[in-house]
Amino acid sequence: MMENLSLFAPEEAVQEQLTLTQAGRLDVVRLDFCQAETLSWQELFSGFDTLHAITYSSGIGFVAQLLTLFDRAEILFGCDEVISYSLQEVMAYQYKLVERLRETASKQKLDLISRIEAGTLRLYAARSVLSHEKIYLLSAADGRRRVVMGSANLSFAAFGGRQRENICYLDGEAAYDWYWDSYCRLREESTDQLAKETLLCADDGENLEELPIARTIRTQKALLLEPVEEAKEEVRFALDVRNLAAKFAPSLPRPDKKGKLLLSPDKFKSIRRQVVSSQVKERELQSQYPQLEIFPDEGLVRLNGTDLELSPAAEEVARDASLFLEYMDGYEKFHGDVAGMQQRYFAFANWFFCSPLMACMRDMAVRYNQNLLPYPVFGLVYGQSKAGKTSFLETLLKMMIGQKTKLAAPEFTRSSIEGLKRTVKGAPIIVDDLTNARFNQHAIETIKNDDFGVADRLLHYPAVVISANEDVKAVAPEVIRRTVICRVQAGLTNTEVMRSNVVRKVQREVGTAFYREYLRRMLECLPQLMEELKEDTSDRAPDILAVSSQVLLDLFSACTDHPLPAYVRSLTLEDYFSEKVTGSYAIKTIRSAWQTSRSSFTLSQRTNELRYNAGAPWEADRILKELPETLEAHKSRDWVVMDLEEARKFFDIPFKKTLLDRLQKR
């Protein structure tokens, strides 16, 4: 039985349609209260043969039972969880709606398809905002008409008396005709029809072209989809509630197996103590770790609650620039691939400085169905020891926020990092000296699931930077394409490390003026980049790393009269993620082996196969993980097996055995 059901007699109800065209004015239906009754949902809906309905979150099982009361029915489905009605949200919603309809029909032995085919049932899925009201239009062949409206969706919870709802109905043609016009307008402008073929399709991504929106596009030849400008304050409030709930969750007791939770005053006191304790820990973390917030719309940057001065004195900017170049020049004393090391460190610094802007770029990319990969929020610096990795990262962070913070490797887990990312804002979290075992156990899964902050629309979360030594033997492809990787192959001896004082000098004297000027210039560029993310016409993602490198190049050029070092250069996304860059270790290894140890290779022109003996399975793994798919590479114990022709292109080596090679092999 239903509660709070308002009943309106048609002869006593007064209805006034106010068709108002002025901005900010509303269509209003005025009603007179007659009486309240208690009815079951069957009594409310029975006695009519046709149903037209608009519902949001609905119970498909209830819908199926309701349909048995009507000879003909038409239902428009909307979804409260869809915020902006971007293409990805519409596709995801329609996909899951079809899935639910298919599963429910199968379980309850309903023949929805035959009813759709017979024309007695039509189902529609929203592609833009429907009415927030829930409307159910009932009609009969003898001319009787009824409108049911209010807060109740089509579900057992709403119409089964399990929760309070505001439910009203009006009988008569006047009310029916007014709501019918509204219904028809919403159906034509905001929904796509579900065809029987859609429900018959297998439940996989191969059938996306059978989604309702795809069928509409085929029928109409073109469709303009305009994401709504949501009420930012309401969306932010909803997201804040969701984020706060996530913070409360670890402090709350778990429900029993049936999902029930028994609370007492003492239990709630215990909850309060745990929440307070968590808040104390969070405040401690916030005092230890920085809060760097960037507001692109306002051109404002805030550090630990204080607005930053983004127009620093030119001489302070020049001093910081000079100290950075002095720091980088210190690598000239290292042993190994010094030039390559400087280039890789500068490229990493470019991403490191740019990383606080990645969250807002990723948020905009999600809203407009763009790729997230061009906006990485993970970095990895690894290679031989005594390569200055830790001090390099500390120096960059000192230039950004004036402090050095890092997380010890034993504290690194996926859950601890996600907790920190909700606490720390903007400036990168540095995880120092991660071992290979811990990297494989925690870091890989964390990086692969790099959608943190996307669903919650977080705009200030930090990047995570991991430093590791040479024992990180191989980086998997799914990590490589989501991570800015800097592999260093140069270092100092123990005594040289002890004697060096460049690091101490730079970290003592460097300030934040250079970075504040960098932020000011980046904030001038950011609106254009974010506008480009809204466009579907370009086949290339807006390259914020290219813009960042140009800003750095201009800054360094303005700060010195001397020629800039070769490593200070313009960069693009290709310099970070092209196959030649991500496969640099494999390329260097294979080229070196071809020069010095051709006996490690076997070639077969007949089978178009190149085999390389890496000497150990782990080394074969490392090489294999850096090779692009075009090489069709696989491993056989110590051997890496590749497509010969593709290997010639990738490694830029002819791979031809000479007569001398054959004789030496004999």
Side-chain angles (χ1 to χ4, degrees):
M1 300 297 290
M2 301 300 298
E3 297 181 4
N4 196 30
L5 182 69
S6 298
L7 179 66
F8 297 90
E11 62 273 13
E12 298 176 355
V14 179
Q15 304 176 68
E16 290 184 0
Q17 175 184 350
L18 306 179
T19 306
L20 306 171
T21 58
Q22 298 96 322
R25 295 175 70 80
L26 306 171
D27 287 342
V28 178
V29 175
R30 193 175 75 188
L31 308 169
D32 280 347
F33 179 81
C34 179
Q35 68 181 70
E37 280 188 345
T38 300
L39 300 174
S40 68
W41 68 266
Q42 291 93 339
E43 292 171 321
L44 180 63
F45 285 99
S46 292
F48 300 88
D49 49 46
T50 302
L51 167 70
H52 291 82
I54 299 175
T55 182
Y56 270 72
S57 52
S58 53
I60 303 300
F62 179 78
V63 171
Q65 193 166 337
L66 181 66
L67 288 175
T68 62
L69 300 181
F70 298 95
D71 297 333
R72 306 178 68 86
E74 187 173 284
I75 301 176
L76 314 186
F77 292 99
C79 181
D80 284 323
E81 292 299 315
V82 180
I83 294 174
S84 67
Y85 285 89
S86 59
L87 179 58
Q88 66 269 26
E89 283 187 333
V90 172
M91 289 177 62
Y93 159 62
Q94 292 190 356
Y95 188 97
K96 297 306 290 185
L97 174 63
V98 170
E99 184 181 82
R100 287 182 67 196
L101 286 169
R102 188 188 297 118
E103 289 175 356
T104 303
S106 175
K107 288 178 183 177
Q108 300 192 6
K109 309 300 181 185
L110 300 172
D111 201 347
L112 295 178
I113 294 171
S114 65
R115 289 201 62 173
I116 292 173
E117 193 169 26
T120 63
L121 175 64
R122 293 179 182 175
L123 304 176
Y124 294 81
R127 67 163 178 270
S128 61
V129 181
L130 292 179
S131 167
H132 274 286
E133 59 195 333
K134 289 78 179 177
I135 302 173
Y136 313 110
L137 305 176
L138 315 178
S139 60
D142 60 10
R144 287 178 297 111
R145 301 286 186 267
R146 173 173 290 179
V147 178
V148 180
M149 54 194 164
S151 63
N153 281 299
L154 286 180
S155 67
F156 283 114
F159 280 104
R162 301 176 187 174
Q163 61 191 32
R164 298 286 297 183
E165 296 286 355
N166 180 31
I167 304 174
C168 314
Y169 76 79
L170 287 166
D171 285 335
E173 290 189 7
Y176 189 95
D177 291 345
W178 192 88
Y179 282 104
W180 173 253
D181 288 342
S182 176
Y183 174 90
C184 291
R185 187 167 59 252
L186 288 167
R187 181 184 59 193
E188 297 306 315
E189 296 175 358
S190 305
T191 66
D192 304 302
Q193 187 172 359
L194 279 76
K196 67 171 184 177
E197 290 81 4
T198 305
L199 293 175
L200 286 169
C201 286
D203 187 13
D204 57 50
E206 293 294 322
N207 295 290
L208 289 180
E209 287 186 303
E210 292 302 325
L211 286 179
I213 190 171
R215 297 181 66 86
T216 298
I217 293 169
R218 284 205 301 274
T219 303
Q220 298 183 3
K221 307 303 180 186
L223 180 66
L224 178 63
L225 190 67
E226 298 184 78
V228 300
E229 288 295 325
E230 67 271 14
K232 292 184 179 179
E233 186 177 345
E234 293 180 11
V235 172
R236 176 49 53 195
F237 178 79
L239 294 174
D240 286 345
V241 169
R242 188 185 303 173
N243 289 330
L244 185 57
K247 289 184 178 182
F248 281 155
S251 303
L252 304 184
R254 294 184 178 180
D256 62 21
K257 293 181 180 180
K258 295 182 179 180
K260 295 180 180 180
L261 189 62
L262 179 63
L263 293 173
S264 64
D266 288 341
K267 178 65 72 174
F268 220 86
K269 286 180 181 179
S270 174
I271 291 172
R272 180 187 60 79
R273 286 194 296 269
Q274 291 187 54
V275 169
V276 170
S277 175
S278 297
Q279 289 175 338
V280 170
K281 290 179 182 178
E282 183 173 338
R283 283 194 293 270
E284 289 174 353
L285 284 172
Q286 288 176 343
S287 65
Q288 181 181 356
Y289 289 94
Q291 309 294 303
L292 182 66
E293 300 170 283
I294 298 176
F295 303 93
D297 293 341
E298 304 170 54
L300 176 69
V301 180
R302 189 172 291 147
L303 178 61
N304 298 330
T306 302
D307 292 353
L308 290 182
E309 170 56 60
L310 297 183
S311 296
E315 58 271 18
E316 294 180 6
V317 176
R319 184 197 63 196
D320 288 350
S322 176
L323 286 167
F324 177 82
L325 294 176
E326 181 181 349
Y327 185 94
M328 294 292 287
D329 288 344
Y331 291 122
E332 299 288 346
K333 299 177 181 178
F334 280 49
H335 308 283
D337 182 14
V338 171
M341 181 181 189
Q342 288 174 316
Q343 287 189 351
R344 286 187 285 274
Y345 269 169
F346 179 79
F348 197 87
N350 179 54
W351 168 78
F352 195 98
F353 287 155
C354 188
S355 65
L357 303 170
M358 292 299 182
C360 60
M361 291 294 289
R362 287 161 65 87
D363 178 66
M364 187 64 73
V366 167
R367 290 199 210 184
Y368 289 91
N369 198 31
Q370 303 285 359
N371 196 347
L372 288 178
L373 292 179
Y375 313 107
V377 287
F378 290 96
L380 171 64
V381 183
Y382 78 111
Q384 66 188 67
S385 60
K386 295 185 287 294
K389 299 183 293 294
T390 299
S391 61
F392 172 68
L393 297 175
E394 288 177 344
T395 302
L396 295 182
L397 198 58
K398 185 80 164 28
M399 292 180 70
M400 287 178 65
I401 59 172
Q403 67 184 87
K404 300 183 295 181
T405 59
K406 61 179 182 287
L407 181 70
E411 300 172 39
F412 178 88
T413 63
R414 179 178 175 184
S415 59
S416 69
I417 281 295
E418 291 203 351
L420 266 180
K421 287 172 78 173
R422 290 187 181 275
T423 303
V424 181
K425 293 181 180 177
I429 298 170
I430 298 173
V431 183
D432 192 41
D433 203 19
L434 204 65
T435 63
N436 186 48
R438 204 159 190 84
F439 182 84
N440 290 330
Q441 184 178 359
H442 296 287
I444 291 177
E445 196 61 31
T446 302
I447 294 170
K448 282 168 60 179
N449 298 289
D450 73 335
D451 57 353
F452 175 89
V454 169
D456 296 336
R457 300 283 296 277
L458 301 182
L459 299 177
H460 306 294
Y461 56 88
V464 176
V465 181
I466 298 168
S467 77
N469 285 326
E470 191 71 17
D471 65 342
V472 174
K473 297 298 182 185
V475 182
E478 59 268 28
V479 171
I480 287 175
R481 61 175 171 263
R482 293 178 172 88
T483 310
V484 172
I485 294 177
C486 178
R487 188 171 186 273
V488 291
Q489 294 175 285
L492 294 170
T493 65
N494 288 336
T495 54
E496 287 169 335
V497 170
M498 295 175 188
R499 291 171 183 163
S500 176
N501 62 4
V502 173
V503 173
R504 289 191 293 275
K505 175 194 172 185
V506 171
Q507 290 188 355
R508 182 177 64 251
E509 297 181 7
V510 76
T512 62
F514 181 89
Y515 188 67
R516 284 183 281 130
E517 177 64 21
Y518 165 86
L519 284 176
R520 184 184 68 79
R521 299 187 183 201
M522 286 298 294
L523 284 174
E524 292 176 355
C525 302
L526 203 59
Q528 178 60 34
L529 287 166
M530 297 179 79
E531 281 299 315
E532 290 176 18
L533 276 170
K534 299 178 182 180
E535 299 175 4
D536 291 328
T537 53
S538 175
D539 59 350
R540 296 177 67 86
D543 193 342
I544 192 172
L545 291 170
V547 172
S548 174
S549 70
Q550 189 59 51
V551 166
L552 288 177
L553 184 57
D554 293 343
L555 259 175
F556 282 117
S557 298
C559 290
T560 180
D561 296 329
H562 303 292
L564 291 174
Y567 59 79
V568 180
R569 66 203 191 280
S570 294
L571 299 162
T572 69
L573 208 57
E574 295 291 312
D575 293 292
Y576 293 88
F577 295 107
S578 72
E579 291 174 343
K580 291 295 180 75
V581 172
T582 58
S584 58
Y585 176 79
I587 291 172
K588 182 177 180 180
T589 301
I590 295 295
R591 285 178 177 172
S592 176
W594 183 253
Q595 290 294 323
T596 60
S597 180
R598 294 200 184 182
S599 60
S600 301
F601 295 85
T602 61
L603 291 78
S604 173
Q605 295 285 358
R606 182 178 62 81
T607 60
N608 189 36
E609 188 175 87
L610 172 69
R611 296 168 63 89
Y612 168 64
N613 190 329
W618 59 263
E619 179 66 6
D621 272 330
R622 169 183 279 187
I623 293 169
L624 185 65
K625 289 181 178 181
E626 287 199 2
L627 298 179
E629 289 80 358
T630 53
L631 269 66
E632 299 180 7
H634 61 277
K635 189 185 78 165
S636 177
R637 296 185 181 178
D638 298 353
W639 292 83
V640 180
V641 185
M642 299 166 269
D643 181 287
L644 177 58
E645 282 303 316
E646 291 297 329
R648 284 169 174 159
K649 298 174 190 175
F650 182 69
F651 296 108
D652 197 21
I653 298 174
F655 289 121
K656 293 180 180 178
K657 290 278 186 145
T658 64
L659 177 60
L660 180 60
D661 293 330
R662 297 190 186 98
L663 291 173
Q664 287 176 340
K665 191 172 182 178
R666 291 177 183 174

